Amino acid sequence: MHKWAMLQRPAAALSSTPEQLGKRARRAWLLFAGIALVFVATALTGAGLYARRAEVATLAAQGRTDANLKVALLRAVLESPRALPLLLSEDQQVHDALQNKGAVAIDVLNRKLEGLVSGTKASVLYVTGVDGFAIASSNWREATSFVGNDYGFRAYFSGAMQSGTAEYFALGNTSKRPGLYISRRVGNAAAPLGVVVVKMEFDQLEADWHEANRPAYVSDDHGVVLITSVPSWRFMTTAPLAGPLAATIRSSQQFGSAPLIPLPITHPEALSPDVSMVHAVTPGGSDAEYLRLSTLVQSTPWRLDYLVPAEAPIAAAVREMRLLALGVVVPLLALAGYLLWRRQSAQMRIAAEQAARIELERRVVERTHDLSLARDRLQAEITDHRSTEAKLQVMQQELVQANRLATLGQVAAGVAHEINQPVATIRAYADNARVFLERKQTASAEENLGAIAALTERIGGITEELKVFARKGRTAAEPVELRGVIEGAVVLLRSRFAGRLDALDITLPPQTLKVMGNRLRLEQVLINLFQNALEALDGRDGARVQVSALETADGVALDVADNGPGISPAILKSLFTPFNTSKEKGLGLGLVISQDIVADYGGRIEVASGRDGTRFTVHLAKAR
């Protein structure tokens, strides 16, 4: 009763039913999806941050190199003009023109300054007196000549008068062109004669920077842009100027009427002391992200800022890194999902098997009683079935023996004919031997007696063959000459098929070719095959049965092929099934017995049949 109660427990008593596991699986997949989304988002975010940092570092290294080259080019442009004021301040013609102020001396100085400008990168060279008025200039021939203009209010004039030299970037008072003014005092501080001024413009340098398509600008110590590859940014500021400072710069007319407004550069994000990420709006463009690199210009109070476009390179690097991250993360998530599915499938399978097992046990217990009742009836039926099967086996054996005896009867006539011939010959030899003995010809008599002995052995072999052929049972395999087996089968069929054996086209194998088996049993196989072939050809013109033997890699193949009508597919399908025959008086056991005989000696029989005839191939083991 206890066992019955345990087997009757419901599926809910299991540790986990398939329904419960299904609900858990759905919850697990929802959790897995959430974790996967978080993992992917984290991977994409991390990959984006890493790619951005790496690309920024690469752009910074490249930009720093470019910025240093621009600074070096700027310094090279500045060095040549700086030497001119020093040389001219010591020139005698400058001293003569400032001291005498004669027309001839000034004319000579004008021409000299004009010649010096054409051979240097300076924009304008001019000389002023101690009062600030220009007395000579390299552009004395032009309408915008500096000669006669007052430059005493300029910082480069006052700075040179006080300290001997000065540099000042400003918008030209006459030419309205920006440039760097480099000045040097003529004479000593106690007795100054005037000031030599060189104006340096940077149009070519700005044009070269503009071709790079990367904004670059130079600002002074107040943050005012002096030199830039973007012309509209000139005299703008890097940061808003304080009110008093802006008023002082405007009153000095250093930059004319420039509004001194900040550059369109916003959202600076410092990455290092000289590198920052900014947003800038260039003329004709939209707001874009740039990497700004700052570096000081040696020998000047200036600073160069170089903007490297960063939006497109960073976006490309981030996109590439995220794709790489997805290429790693997605397979990992797929593997995790596969493992989760496999685990759930295993759990579901185990639960289903457990439920099925319990249900099966319950049903088994329920039906045990019915099966117990049916067991006796089944055992009785089994006993009857075994008895019937035993009777059937005995009947089959009797039928096999009947086929053997029927074949024996068919060949009996041929055997009798074969025995009659040796008996007649023996009598003739015996009569001759008597005559030879009477004549005292013992040698000839002994020869006849030997022939008589051989013929009696042949008769004994034929009768022994009949006895073995009629006996039941099997004989052990031994080396047998295949040629003798074929010849023996033909001898036994000669009387029955007298006049029709000409259809046999036999290619006899060499006497040295031997197979494993028993001669008489193998003859029985060939008798069945020859008999079937000859019967199939009965009444047909051009009847032909070809018999040949071929050595193969694993034995010997004996072919028996006829050109008869072939075997119908219905019979061919079960050709080696007992009692399957197309003959009216046949038992359908000949081929079955032949197959058993060949199988006893490790061989097999193959058959192929069609409209052109039938071919039986007997595979036998070759004797070593």
Side-chain angles (χ1 to χ4, degrees):
M1 294 297 294
H2 179 67
K3 180 179 180 181
W4 175 269
M6 290 183 63
L7 293 174
Q8 292 295 323
R9 60 185 177 180
L14 300 175
S15 58
S16 296
T17 64
E19 293 78 9
Q20 293 173 341
L21 288 176
K23 293 179 181 179
R24 292 180 187 174
R26 287 189 290 272
R27 290 196 297 268
W29 279 113
L30 290 175
L31 179 61
F32 177 78
I35 294 175
L37 289 176
V38 172
F39 192 68
V40 170
T42 302
L44 292 178
T45 302
L49 293 175
Y50 174 80
R52 182 180 179 86
R53 286 196 297 269
E55 187 63 23
V56 166
T58 301
L59 293 175
Q62 296 174 352
R64 189 173 290 107
T65 301
D66 293 343
N68 291 334
L69 290 175
K70 293 183 183 298
V71 169
L73 181 60
L74 176 60
R75 291 185 60 192
V77 171
L78 290 174
E79 290 303 322
S80 178
R82 279 177 171 171
L84 288 175
L86 175 62
L87 295 175
L88 290 174
S89 66
E90 304 294 335
D91 188 79
Q92 187 60 43
Q93 292 178 342
V94 175
H95 282 259
D96 291 344
L98 288 173
Q99 289 175 347
N100 302 329
K101 297 183 180 180
V104 176
I106 291 175
D107 183 65
V108 171
L109 183 57
N110 280 331
R111 296 180 185 278
K112 183 172 185 175
L113 295 177
E114 183 179 23
L116 288 174
V117 166
S118 62
T120 64
K121 294 182 180 180
S123 176
V124 180
L125 279 170
Y126 58 99
V127 178
T128 67
V130 293
D131 54 359
F133 284 90
I135 63 169
S137 175
S138 60
N139 62 355
W140 62 281
R141 297 179 185 273
E142 301 175 7
T144 57
S145 173
F146 289 2
V147 177
N149 292 334
D150 182 11
Y151 296 102
F153 67 94
R154 289 291 195 179
Y156 59 81
F157 175 79
S158 58
M161 291 296 291
Q162 293 176 4
S163 58
T165 183
E167 292 185 1
Y168 187 67
F169 196 99
L171 188 68
N173 189 39
T174 301
S175 64
K176 303 301 181 182
R177 295 177 59 82
L180 176 64
Y181 294 86
I182 305 172
S183 61
R184 189 170 186 86
R185 184 180 61 213
V186 181
N188 54 39
L193 299 177
V195 174
V196 176
V197 182
V198 177
K199 182 182 180 183
M200 179 66 188
E201 295 181 358
F202 301 92
D203 294 347
Q204 185 59 45
L205 180 65
E206 290 177 335
D208 294 339
W209 286 1
H210 182 73
E211 291 179 358
N213 201 25
R214 291 186 175 185
Y217 55 91
V218 177
S219 57
D220 61 10
D221 52 351
H222 297 306
V224 179
V225 176
L226 307 178
I227 306 170
T228 175
S229 62
V230 184
S232 61
W233 286 6
R234 186 175 289 108
F235 301 147
M236 299 180 77
T237 61
T238 58
L241 298 178
L245 177 60
T248 301
I249 294 175
R250 288 193 182 96
S251 63
S252 67
Q253 293 295 310
Q254 180 180 1
F255 306 115
S257 59
L260 301 178
I261 60 176
L263 288 167
I265 298 176
T266 57
H267 304 93
E269 178 186 352
L271 304 179
S272 65
D274 60 343
V275 180
S276 59
M277 192 66 70
V278 298
H279 286 258
V281 180
T282 57
S286 58
D287 186 12
E289 193 175 33
Y290 290 87
L291 186 68
R292 182 173 65 186
L293 296 101
S294 300
T295 181
L296 296 177
V297 181
Q298 295 180 2
S299 73
T300 70
W302 298 345
R303 185 188 71 182
L304 180 137
D305 289 330
Y306 183 51
L307 301 183
V308 179
E311 191 167 348
I314 290 177
V318 169
R319 181 169 57 253
E320 182 178 354
M321 187 57 66
R322 284 178 174 173
L323 288 175
L324 180 61
L326 286 177
V328 175
V329 170
V330 170
L332 291 178
L333 291 177
L335 177 61
Y338 169 73
L339 295 177
L340 177 60
W341 170 81
R342 185 176 179 180
R343 181 174 178 273
Q344 291 178 349
S345 299
Q347 292 177 343
M348 187 68 72
R349 184 174 62 255
I350 292 172
E353 290 175 354
Q354 184 178 4
R357 184 172 60 254
I358 292 176
E359 179 65 17
L360 179 61
E361 291 175 355
R362 184 184 64 81
R363 292 183 180 182
V364 168
V365 171
E366 288 179 351
R367 299 198 57 178
T368 299
H369 181 65
D370 296 336
L371 293 176
S372 297
L373 295 178
R375 180 182 56 190
D376 295 337
R377 294 193 300 271
L378 180 60
Q379 287 179 347
E381 293 177 358
I382 291 174
T383 302
D384 294 341
H385 176 73
R386 288 177 178 174
S387 177
T388 303
E389 183 179 0
K391 293 179 181 179
L392 179 61
Q393 290 178 353
V394 172
M395 186 177 295
Q396 288 178 345
Q397 292 177 0
E398 294 297 332
L399 289 174
V400 170
Q401 180 64 13
N403 175 266
R404 187 190 302 267
L405 294 177
T407 304
L408 179 63
Q410 292 174 357
V411 302
V415 171
H417 178 72
E418 290 298 318
I419 291 177
N420 288 335
Q421 285 182 345
V423 168
T425 305
I426 288 172
R427 181 165 184 168
Y429 280 145
D431 293 339
N432 292 335
R434 184 181 297 111
V435 173
F436 290 144
L437 289 174
E438 291 175 354
R439 297 176 180 178
K440 304 299 181 177
Q441 296 178 353
T442 57
S444 299
E446 289 179 358
E447 184 179 350
N448 283 0
L449 291 174
I452 291 171
L455 289 173
T456 56
E457 288 180 1
R458 179 177 178 182
I459 294 173
I462 293 174
T463 56
E464 183 65 24
E465 180 179 347
L466 288 175
K467 289 190 293 181
V468 174
F469 192 77
R471 274 202 309 263
K472 298 181 182 180
R474 300 174 180 176
T475 57
E478 60 184 3
V480 177
E481 289 185 9
L482 185 59
R483 183 187 187 110
V485 173
I486 298 173
E487 291 174 341
V490 173
V491 167
L492 292 175
L493 290 175
R494 183 172 297 161
S495 63
R496 182 180 174 197
F497 294 97
R500 284 190 287 169
L501 289 182
D502 293 340
L504 291 175
D505 182 7
I506 301 175
T507 302
L508 290 174
Q511 292 182 348
T512 57
L513 180 60
K514 295 183 179 182
V515 296
M516 296 301 296
N518 177 269
R519 174 173 177 172
L520 297 178
R521 298 193 74 197
L522 294 179
E523 284 181 1
Q524 182 179 354
V525 173
L526 295 187
I527 288 172
N528 279 323
L529 296 180
F530 291 170
Q531 178 176 286
N532 289 343
L534 292 172
E535 289 177 350
L537 297 174
D538 189 20
R540 295 178 65 89
D541 295 333
R544 180 66 58 188
V545 179
Q546 292 183 340
V547 181
S548 61
L550 176 66
E551 293 188 59
T552 62
D554 55 350
V556 177
L558 178 63
D559 281 345
V560 179
D562 63 66
N563 59 349
I567 304 173
S568 66
I571 297 177
L572 183 63
K573 184 177 181 181
S574 55
L575 189 62
F576 294 99
T577 303
F579 313 113
N580 178 44
T581 181
S582 61
K583 303 175 184 178
E584 294 182 0
K585 298 182 180 180
L587 294 177
L589 296 175
L591 290 177
V592 178
I593 294 172
S594 298
Q595 186 185 47
D596 291 341
I597 292 173
V598 173
D600 285 343
Y601 301 126
R604 67 186 187 278
I605 299 179
E606 296 178 350
V607 60
S609 182
R611 295 181 179 179
D612 297 332
T614 302
R615 176 184 299 272
F616 284 88
T617 302
V618 181
H619 294 274
L620 297 171
K622 184 179 178 181
R624 296 182 180 179

Short mmCIF file of all heavy atoms in Angstrom, two decimals, residues 556-598:
data_model
loop_
_atom_site.label_atom_id
_atom_site.label_comp_id
_atom_site.label_asym_id
_atom_site.label_seq_id
_atom_site.Cartn_x
_atom_site.Cartn_y
_atom_site.Cartn_z
N VAL A 556 37.08 -16.69 -55.13
CA VAL A 556 36.79 -17.11 -56.50
C VAL A 556 35.32 -16.82 -56.78
O VAL A 556 34.45 -17.11 -55.94
CB VAL A 556 37.07 -18.61 -56.70
CG1 VAL A 556 36.69 -19.05 -58.11
CG2 VAL A 556 38.55 -18.91 -56.42
N ALA A 557 35.03 -16.23 -57.96
CA ALA A 557 33.66 -15.93 -58.36
C ALA A 557 33.30 -16.83 -59.54
O ALA A 557 33.94 -16.77 -60.60
CB ALA A 557 33.52 -14.48 -58.74
N LEU A 558 32.28 -17.69 -59.35
CA LEU A 558 31.83 -18.62 -60.39
C LEU A 558 30.52 -18.07 -60.96
O LEU A 558 29.53 -17.93 -60.22
CB LEU A 558 31.62 -20.01 -59.80
CG LEU A 558 31.08 -21.08 -60.77
CD1 LEU A 558 32.09 -21.33 -61.89
CD2 LEU A 558 30.78 -22.37 -60.02
N ASP A 559 30.50 -17.74 -62.27
CA ASP A 559 29.34 -17.15 -62.92
C ASP A 559 28.59 -18.22 -63.72
O ASP A 559 29.21 -19.01 -64.46
CB ASP A 559 29.75 -16.04 -63.88
CG ASP A 559 30.06 -14.76 -63.12
OD1 ASP A 559 29.69 -14.67 -61.95
OD2 ASP A 559 30.70 -13.87 -63.72
N VAL A 560 27.24 -18.23 -63.57
CA VAL A 560 26.35 -19.06 -64.38
C VAL A 560 25.32 -18.10 -64.98
O VAL A 560 24.42 -17.64 -64.29
CB VAL A 560 25.66 -20.16 -63.55
CG1 VAL A 560 24.73 -20.99 -64.44
CG2 VAL A 560 26.69 -21.05 -62.87
N ALA A 561 25.49 -17.77 -66.28
CA ALA A 561 24.66 -16.75 -66.92
C ALA A 561 23.93 -17.37 -68.10
O ALA A 561 24.53 -18.05 -68.93
CB ALA A 561 25.50 -15.57 -67.37
N ASP A 562 22.60 -17.15 -68.19
CA ASP A 562 21.81 -17.64 -69.32
C ASP A 562 21.21 -16.46 -70.06
O ASP A 562 21.16 -15.35 -69.54
CB ASP A 562 20.72 -18.60 -68.83
CG ASP A 562 19.71 -17.92 -67.93
OD1 ASP A 562 18.97 -17.03 -68.40
OD2 ASP A 562 19.65 -18.28 -66.72
N ASN A 563 20.75 -16.72 -71.26
CA ASN A 563 20.08 -15.68 -72.07
C ASN A 563 18.58 -15.94 -72.14
O ASN A 563 17.95 -15.74 -73.17
CB ASN A 563 20.70 -15.63 -73.47
CG ASN A 563 20.58 -16.96 -74.21
OD1 ASN A 563 20.21 -17.98 -73.61
ND2 ASN A 563 20.90 -16.95 -75.50
N GLY A 564 18.03 -16.43 -71.02
CA GLY A 564 16.61 -16.72 -70.95
C GLY A 564 15.76 -15.48 -70.73
O GLY A 564 16.25 -14.34 -70.81
N PRO A 565 14.48 -15.65 -70.40
CA PRO A 565 13.55 -14.52 -70.26
C PRO A 565 13.73 -13.73 -68.97
O PRO A 565 13.10 -12.69 -68.78
CB PRO A 565 12.17 -15.20 -70.29
CG PRO A 565 12.42 -16.57 -69.74
CD PRO A 565 13.79 -16.96 -70.22
N GLY A 566 14.55 -14.20 -68.08
CA GLY A 566 14.75 -13.49 -66.83
C GLY A 566 13.74 -13.91 -65.78
O GLY A 566 12.80 -14.67 -66.03
N ILE A 567 13.93 -13.41 -64.57
CA ILE A 567 13.06 -13.73 -63.42
C ILE A 567 12.16 -12.53 -63.16
O ILE A 567 12.63 -11.37 -63.15
CB ILE A 567 13.90 -14.05 -62.17
CG1 ILE A 567 14.87 -15.21 -62.48
CG2 ILE A 567 13.02 -14.41 -61.00
CD1 ILE A 567 15.86 -15.49 -61.36
N SER A 568 10.88 -12.80 -62.93
CA SER A 568 9.94 -11.69 -62.68
C SER A 568 10.32 -10.97 -61.39
O SER A 568 10.82 -11.59 -60.45
CB SER A 568 8.51 -12.24 -62.58
OG SER A 568 8.40 -13.07 -61.43
N PRO A 569 10.10 -9.63 -61.33
CA PRO A 569 10.47 -8.87 -60.12
C PRO A 569 9.81 -9.40 -58.85
O PRO A 569 10.42 -9.37 -57.78
CB PRO A 569 10.00 -7.45 -60.44
CG PRO A 569 9.98 -7.39 -61.94
CD PRO A 569 9.59 -8.76 -62.40
N ALA A 570 8.57 -9.90 -58.94
CA ALA A 570 7.89 -10.38 -57.74
C ALA A 570 8.61 -11.57 -57.15
O ALA A 570 8.74 -11.71 -55.93
CB ALA A 570 6.44 -10.74 -58.08
N ILE A 571 9.09 -12.50 -58.02
CA ILE A 571 9.81 -13.69 -57.53
C ILE A 571 11.24 -13.33 -57.15
O ILE A 571 11.80 -13.83 -56.18
CB ILE A 571 9.78 -14.79 -58.61
CG1 ILE A 571 8.33 -15.23 -58.85
CG2 ILE A 571 10.65 -15.97 -58.22
CD1 ILE A 571 8.18 -16.27 -59.94
N LEU A 572 11.86 -12.40 -57.92
CA LEU A 572 13.25 -12.02 -57.65
C LEU A 572 13.39 -11.37 -56.27
O LEU A 572 14.42 -11.54 -55.61
CB LEU A 572 13.73 -11.04 -58.74
CG LEU A 572 15.20 -10.60 -58.65
CD1 LEU A 572 16.11 -11.83 -58.83
CD2 LEU A 572 15.50 -9.55 -59.70
N LYS A 573 12.35 -10.65 -55.85
CA LYS A 573 12.42 -9.95 -54.57
C LYS A 573 12.59 -10.92 -53.41
O LYS A 573 13.24 -10.62 -52.42
CB LYS A 573 11.16 -9.10 -54.40
CG LYS A 573 11.16 -8.25 -53.16
CD LYS A 573 9.92 -7.39 -53.10
CE LYS A 573 9.91 -6.51 -51.85
NZ LYS A 573 8.68 -5.68 -51.78
N SER A 574 11.98 -12.11 -53.52
CA SER A 574 12.07 -13.11 -52.44
C SER A 574 12.59 -14.43 -53.01
O SER A 574 12.04 -15.50 -52.72
CB SER A 574 10.70 -13.30 -51.79
OG SER A 574 9.72 -13.63 -52.77
N LEU A 575 13.62 -14.34 -53.82
CA LEU A 575 14.12 -15.51 -54.55
C LEU A 575 14.65 -16.57 -53.60
O LEU A 575 14.50 -17.78 -53.83
CB LEU A 575 15.21 -15.08 -55.54
CG LEU A 575 15.69 -16.15 -56.53
CD1 LEU A 575 14.53 -16.59 -57.42
CD2 LEU A 575 16.83 -15.62 -57.37
N PHE A 576 15.29 -16.16 -52.50
CA PHE A 576 15.90 -17.10 -51.58
C PHE A 576 15.02 -17.35 -50.37
O PHE A 576 15.51 -17.75 -49.31
CB PHE A 576 17.27 -16.57 -51.12
CG PHE A 576 18.28 -16.51 -52.24
CD1 PHE A 576 18.52 -15.30 -52.90
CD2 PHE A 576 18.97 -17.65 -52.64
CE1 PHE A 576 19.44 -15.26 -53.93
CE2 PHE A 576 19.89 -17.59 -53.67
CZ PHE A 576 20.12 -16.39 -54.33
N THR A 577 13.72 -17.11 -50.53
CA THR A 577 12.74 -17.42 -49.49
C THR A 577 12.18 -18.82 -49.73
O THR A 577 11.85 -19.16 -50.88
CB THR A 577 11.60 -16.39 -49.49
OG1 THR A 577 12.17 -15.09 -49.32
CG2 THR A 577 10.62 -16.66 -48.37
N PRO A 578 12.07 -19.65 -48.70
CA PRO A 578 11.55 -21.02 -48.91
C PRO A 578 10.17 -21.01 -49.56
O PRO A 578 9.34 -20.14 -49.30
CB PRO A 578 11.50 -21.60 -47.49
CG PRO A 578 12.52 -20.81 -46.73
CD PRO A 578 12.49 -19.44 -47.31
N PHE A 579 9.96 -22.00 -50.45
CA PHE A 579 8.69 -22.24 -51.12
C PHE A 579 8.34 -21.14 -52.12
O PHE A 579 7.19 -20.99 -52.52
CB PHE A 579 7.54 -22.39 -50.10
CG PHE A 579 7.87 -23.31 -48.97
CD1 PHE A 579 8.00 -22.82 -47.67
CD2 PHE A 579 8.11 -24.67 -49.19
CE1 PHE A 579 8.31 -23.66 -46.62
CE2 PHE A 579 8.42 -25.51 -48.13
CZ PHE A 579 8.53 -25.02 -46.85
N ASN A 580 9.31 -20.34 -52.52
CA ASN A 580 9.07 -19.32 -53.54
C ASN A 580 9.56 -19.88 -54.87
O ASN A 580 10.76 -20.07 -55.06
CB ASN A 580 9.82 -18.02 -53.18
CG ASN A 580 9.62 -16.97 -54.26
OD1 ASN A 580 8.51 -16.76 -54.73
ND2 ASN A 580 10.70 -16.31 -54.62
N THR A 581 8.62 -20.19 -55.80
CA THR A 581 9.00 -20.81 -57.06
C THR A 581 8.03 -20.40 -58.15
O THR A 581 6.88 -20.03 -57.87
CB THR A 581 9.03 -22.34 -56.94
OG1 THR A 581 9.41 -22.90 -58.19
CG2 THR A 581 7.66 -22.89 -56.56
N SER A 582 8.52 -20.47 -59.39
CA SER A 582 7.67 -20.20 -60.55
C SER A 582 7.33 -21.49 -61.30
O SER A 582 6.65 -21.45 -62.33
CB SER A 582 8.38 -19.21 -61.49
OG SER A 582 9.60 -19.75 -61.95
N LYS A 583 7.82 -22.64 -60.82
CA LYS A 583 7.57 -23.91 -61.46
C LYS A 583 6.30 -24.52 -60.88
O LYS A 583 6.05 -24.44 -59.67
CB LYS A 583 8.75 -24.86 -61.25
CG LYS A 583 10.08 -24.31 -61.74
CD LYS A 583 11.21 -25.25 -61.39
CE LYS A 583 12.56 -24.66 -61.78
NZ LYS A 583 13.67 -25.55 -61.39
N GLU A 584 5.52 -25.18 -61.73
CA GLU A 584 4.28 -25.77 -61.28
C GLU A 584 4.52 -26.90 -60.30
O GLU A 584 3.78 -27.08 -59.33
CB GLU A 584 3.49 -26.29 -62.49
CG GLU A 584 3.00 -25.19 -63.43
CD GLU A 584 2.18 -25.76 -64.57
OE1 GLU A 584 2.02 -27.00 -64.61
OE2 GLU A 584 1.72 -24.96 -65.42
N LYS A 585 5.57 -27.70 -60.53
CA LYS A 585 5.85 -28.84 -59.66
C LYS A 585 7.04 -28.59 -58.75
O LYS A 585 7.53 -29.51 -58.11
CB LYS A 585 6.10 -30.09 -60.51
CG LYS A 585 4.89 -30.49 -61.34
CD LYS A 585 5.18 -31.75 -62.12
CE LYS A 585 3.97 -32.17 -62.96
NZ LYS A 585 4.24 -33.41 -63.73
N GLY A 586 7.55 -27.37 -58.72
CA GLY A 586 8.72 -27.08 -57.89
C GLY A 586 8.33 -26.82 -56.45
O GLY A 586 7.22 -26.38 -56.14
N LEU A 587 9.30 -27.09 -55.52
CA LEU A 587 9.08 -26.83 -54.10
C LEU A 587 9.59 -25.46 -53.67
O LEU A 587 9.27 -25.00 -52.58
CB LEU A 587 9.78 -27.92 -53.26
CG LEU A 587 9.23 -29.33 -53.42
CD1 LEU A 587 10.08 -30.29 -52.60
CD2 LEU A 587 7.77 -29.41 -53.00
N GLY A 588 10.42 -24.84 -54.48
CA GLY A 588 10.97 -23.54 -54.09
C GLY A 588 12.04 -23.64 -53.04
O GLY A 588 12.21 -22.72 -52.22
N LEU A 589 12.76 -24.78 -52.98
CA LEU A 589 13.79 -24.97 -51.95
C LEU A 589 15.18 -25.12 -52.53
O LEU A 589 16.16 -25.11 -51.79
CB LEU A 589 13.47 -26.21 -51.11
CG LEU A 589 12.17 -26.13 -50.29
CD1 LEU A 589 11.92 -27.46 -49.61
CD2 LEU A 589 12.25 -25.02 -49.26
N GLY A 590 15.30 -25.27 -53.85
CA GLY A 590 16.62 -25.52 -54.44
C GLY A 590 17.60 -24.40 -54.18
O GLY A 590 18.73 -24.62 -53.73
N LEU A 591 17.19 -23.15 -54.46
CA LEU A 591 18.09 -22.02 -54.25
C LEU A 591 18.33 -21.76 -52.77
O LEU A 591 19.41 -21.32 -52.38
CB LEU A 591 17.53 -20.77 -54.93
CG LEU A 591 17.54 -20.79 -56.45
CD1 LEU A 591 16.89 -19.54 -57.01
CD2 LEU A 591 18.97 -20.91 -56.97
N VAL A 592 17.32 -22.03 -51.94
CA VAL A 592 17.50 -21.86 -50.49
C VAL A 592 18.56 -22.81 -49.99
O VAL A 592 19.47 -22.44 -49.22
CB VAL A 592 16.16 -22.07 -49.76
CG1 VAL A 592 16.36 -21.95 -48.25
CG2 VAL A 592 15.12 -21.08 -50.25
N ILE A 593 18.47 -24.09 -50.44
CA ILE A 593 19.47 -25.08 -50.02
C ILE A 593 20.85 -24.70 -50.56
O ILE A 593 21.87 -24.80 -49.87
CB ILE A 593 19.04 -26.48 -50.50
CG1 ILE A 593 17.75 -26.91 -49.79
CG2 ILE A 593 20.15 -27.50 -50.28
CD1 ILE A 593 17.14 -28.17 -50.33
N SER A 594 20.91 -24.25 -51.81
CA SER A 594 22.19 -23.85 -52.40
C SER A 594 22.81 -22.70 -51.62
O SER A 594 24.04 -22.68 -51.36
CB SER A 594 21.98 -23.45 -53.86
OG SER A 594 21.48 -24.54 -54.61
N GLN A 595 21.99 -21.75 -51.25
CA GLN A 595 22.52 -20.62 -50.48
C GLN A 595 23.06 -21.09 -49.13
O GLN A 595 24.11 -20.63 -48.66
CB GLN A 595 21.42 -19.57 -50.28
CG GLN A 595 21.91 -18.30 -49.62
CD GLN A 595 20.78 -17.33 -49.33
OE1 GLN A 595 19.76 -17.73 -48.81
NE2 GLN A 595 20.96 -16.07 -49.69
N ASP A 596 22.34 -22.02 -48.47
CA ASP A 596 22.81 -22.54 -47.18
C ASP A 596 24.14 -23.27 -47.34
O ASP A 596 25.04 -23.13 -46.51
CB ASP A 596 21.77 -23.48 -46.59
CG ASP A 596 20.52 -22.73 -46.15
OD1 ASP A 596 20.62 -21.51 -45.98
OD2 ASP A 596 19.47 -23.38 -45.98
N ILE A 597 24.27 -24.06 -48.41
CA ILE A 597 25.52 -24.81 -48.62
C ILE A 597 26.68 -23.83 -48.82
O ILE A 597 27.76 -23.97 -48.21
CB ILE A 597 25.37 -25.75 -49.84
CG1 ILE A 597 24.39 -26.86 -49.53
CG2 ILE A 597 26.73 -26.32 -50.23
CD1 ILE A 597 24.06 -27.74 -50.72
N VAL A 598 26.50 -22.82 -49.68
CA VAL A 598 27.57 -21.85 -49.94
C VAL A 598 27.90 -21.07 -48.68
O VAL A 598 29.07 -20.80 -48.36
CB VAL A 598 27.15 -20.92 -51.09
CG1 VAL A 598 28.19 -19.79 -51.25
CG2 VAL A 598 27.03 -21.69 -52.39
#
